[in-house]
Amino acid sequence: MTTPTPPGAPAASDKIDGAVLKVASVVVLGAIMSILDVTVVSVALPTFMSEFDATYATVAWTMTAYTLALATVIPVTGWAADRFGTKRLYMTALVLFVGASVLCSMAWNIESLIGFRVLQGLGGGMLMPLGMTIMTRAAGPHRVGRVMAVLGIPMMLGPIGGPILGGWLIESASWHWIFLINLPVGIVALTAAFVLLPKDQPSPSQSFDFVGMLLLSPGLALFLFGVSSIPETGTVAASRVLIPAVIGLALVIGFVFHGLRAAHPLIDLRLFKNRRLTIAVVTSTMFVIAFMGAGLLFPSYFLQVRGETTLAAGLLLAPQGIGAMLTMPVAGTLVDKIGPGKIVLTGITLISIGMAVFTQVGADTSYVLLLGALFVMGLGMGCTMMPIMTAAMQTLTDETVARGSTLMNIVQQVAGSIGTATMSVVLTNQMLARPLAGPATAAAHDPSIAEKMPPGAIEQGLNAAADAFGNTFTVALVLILLTLIPAFLLPRSKPAAPADATQVMVH
């Protein structure tokens, strides 16, 4: 529980104490499961195709369905956290996520797997915004940078550790274990949450915004469904893309008008009156579109152009995670002392330098150079993602933390889907413009295709594929450089605490 600091009492300690670290350990366990599950499944798609005799377009819905469920449930999380309490809701989300994971492992066809992934996404979608709320309340605004750095570890490890873990589990056991692995971790997380999380203090006074839910949740789901269909259709003009995206966007716009008038809206859009939060949201949106979209291209390059196995491609991404882990704790401490502005600008600059190397990538570019570039990008990532989140969270009062973290998670989810679709379409069109690129990359994993190609065609095709990747990385670099504009407006000094921020935690 929280109690105000008496007049004249010393300010709350800047150090992260044991009580906060215990809370952080619970949140990180949940976040690791939720984030790993997005990337682990990406490795298993070829296995699902053979196991369930389904096309790639069909099995891809095991990922899309999870993302759509995430986007649908996130808006409700802020209200539910206030109404029922973060501890109860967090434990409920863990039970739903782990239970759905076990059901996924028992799937008998692709349709049942997609259905169980929706259930899993409903649980997983609540874990991250709830985790951010719990951590921010536990540490207080003056230490939010450091606790966000702790929460950022699974966000960095997910995209890197997922392919490694998924590849290893599929090769050494079976595809069922990419879901069953959540059972022991979930039991530990649930036990730790029951024992370590502070007792709930729900505030049941606010009424639930049913109109807002009927507008925003289906609106986000339809919009993301349309955007997620772009890579499959290859064009924005397809009816499968346009119809749901336009309807979804209309519902979201309807929610904006409703939310500005409602007394207790599902998402508090009045938070955008806070200039610092608005700048942080714009910076985060542009950054996630650019970097998360490009992040999917790195393993694809190693798999398609260099002919690496899934496990090897995952391991080759490790320098990025190492770089992020080195800078993230330092960045978290510095954000609390000097503000996020200088740190985020440094991070974006480092990412731009690393990405510039990949714009020149070839079919036989030195791995030393590429792994060095990934390491530099990792250093930049550690200085970027969580400091931007901190810039927003530092300005929120205890009452608005749940709504603020929900808002930031919705923005990131939408931006991530847009970024992924954008980069997928750019790469697909670049590959189609080079007729030899597709067959050459397929030949790297299928000797029967290689036998049918004339001498020199594979080498020529792989060089063309590398050019396609290089041009796509150039688009990502331009988008990352544009992120410098809003990042330049982020505060470059220690923030003033919100009105009710002077509090200490009593456990």
Side-chain angles (χ1 to χ4, degrees):
M1 57 180 274
T2 63
T3 56
T5 303
S13 169
D14 279 349
K15 292 182 180 177
I16 301 293
D17 54 45
V20 176
L21 285 175
K22 286 176 183 175
V23 171
S25 65
V26 177
V27 171
V28 166
L29 274 175
I32 283 174
M33 284 196 302
S34 172
I35 294 167
L36 272 180
D37 230 70
V38 177
T39 50
V40 164
V41 172
S42 66
V43 174
L45 296 185
T47 308
F48 293 155
M49 288 170 68
S50 59
E51 188 77 20
F52 297 119
D53 191 25
T55 63
Y56 181 84
T58 303
V59 299
W61 278 101
T62 57
M63 292 190 67
T64 308
Y66 183 85
T67 305
L68 294 182
L70 236 68
T72 305
V73 78
I74 286 173
V76 187
T77 306
W79 169 82
D82 289 339
R83 174 65 181 80
F84 301 108
T86 50
K87 180 175 181 174
R88 276 177 233 166
L89 195 61
Y90 192 78
M91 291 178 69
T92 303
L94 279 173
V95 170
L96 181 58
F97 182 84
V98 174
S101 297
V102 174
L103 288 173
C104 285
S105 73
M106 298 164 65
W108 53 91
N109 57 26
I110 193 64
E111 290 79 14
S112 63
L113 180 58
I114 292 168
F116 295 143
R117 285 284 284 167
V118 170
L119 281 178
Q120 205 183 24
L122 294 175
M126 289 189 277
L127 289 175
M128 274 306 284
L130 279 172
M132 285 173 61
T133 302
I134 292 167
M135 293 270 280
T136 306
R137 285 179 176 169
H142 61 294
R143 298 183 296 187
V144 74
R146 271 158 286 182
V147 296
M148 282 294 169
V150 173
L151 190 55
I153 292 170
M155 292 184 76
M156 295 296 103
L157 290 179
I160 295 141
I164 298 172
L165 180 65
W168 177 70
L169 286 171
I170 290 168
E171 286 179 19
S172 62
S174 69
W175 68 267
H176 306 82
W177 280 96
I178 65 173
F179 299 112
L180 285 174
I181 193 74
N182 289 328
L183 183 59
V185 180
I187 291 170
V188 172
L190 195 61
T191 306
F194 179 76
V195 174
L196 299 175
L197 291 186
K199 189 178 177 183
D200 280 326
Q201 289 184 304
S203 49
S205 56
Q206 292 190 4
S207 57
F208 182 61
D209 181 15
F210 279 106
V211 175
M213 187 193 73
L214 293 173
L215 288 169
L216 187 57
S217 287
L220 283 171
L222 284 167
F223 177 73
L224 292 181
F225 174 85
V227 169
S228 301
S229 300
I230 294 172
E232 199 178 327
T233 60
T235 174
V236 180
S239 58
R240 185 175 163 186
V241 174
L242 275 180
I243 293 170
V246 169
I247 294 172
L249 197 57
L251 288 171
V252 172
I253 291 169
F255 171 78
V256 171
F257 284 105
H258 162 78
L260 291 172
R261 292 197 309 268
H264 300 294
L266 195 63
I267 298 296
D268 191 357
L269 298 176
R270 298 177 190 92
L271 289 172
F272 282 115
K273 291 178 180 176
N274 179 332
R275 181 176 175 274
R276 277 188 51 179
L277 182 134
T278 303
I279 292 169
V281 167
V282 172
T283 309
S284 176
T285 303
M286 292 181 65
F287 179 75
V288 170
I289 288 173
F291 193 79
M292 294 306 171
L296 291 174
L297 301 179
F298 299 128
S300 296
Y301 166 77
F302 290 126
L303 288 165
Q304 294 182 39
V305 179
R306 306 305 285 262
E308 299 289 352
T309 64
T310 305
L311 184 56
L315 289 168
L316 285 166
L317 296 176
Q320 196 175 32
I322 294 166
M325 283 190 287
L326 287 175
T327 53
M328 193 173 285
V330 179
T333 303
L334 289 175
V335 165
D336 289 335
K337 292 180 178 177
I338 63 171
K342 295 171 188 172
I343 297 160
V344 173
L345 288 171
T346 303
I348 293 173
T349 303
L350 287 170
I351 291 170
S352 301
I353 292 167
M355 192 68 77
V357 172
F358 274 86
T359 63
Q360 306 302 311
V361 79
D364 53 2
T365 304
S366 162
Y367 271 177
V368 174
L369 179 63
L370 295 180
L371 297 187
L374 285 169
F375 178 71
V376 171
M377 272 191 271
L379 293 174
M381 274 297 290
C383 297
T384 310
M385 197 68 238
M386 297 318 286
I388 293 172
M389 298 281 276
T390 303
M393 301 300 284
Q394 276 177 331
T395 65
L396 298 175
T397 63
D398 195 53
E399 288 75 23
T400 56
V401 161
R403 303 301 175 95
S405 60
T406 301
L407 177 66
M408 291 296 289
N409 275 273
I410 289 174
V411 166
Q412 287 195 346
Q413 193 62 49
V414 173
S417 296
I418 292 171
T420 301
T422 302
M423 294 304 165
S424 297
V425 169
V426 172
L427 179 62
T428 301
N429 289 334
Q430 288 287 326
M431 294 286 274
L432 289 174
R434 297 164 172 80
L436 282 175
T441 54
H445 295 280
D446 190 342
S448 63
I449 297 175
E451 290 169 6
K452 298 173 186 174
M453 296 183 72
I458 292 179
E459 185 180 350
Q460 196 177 341
L462 289 177
N463 284 323
D467 286 342
F469 274 93
N471 290 346
T472 310
F473 284 125
T474 302
V475 174
L477 176 60
V478 171
L479 291 173
I480 287 167
L481 290 172
L482 287 173
T483 309
L484 286 167
I485 298 169
F488 192 76
L489 299 174
L490 289 169
R492 299 184 213 175
S493 59
K494 185 174 181 177
D500 70 345
T502 51
Q503 54 191 320
V504 292
M505 306 307 299
V506 178
H507 296 280

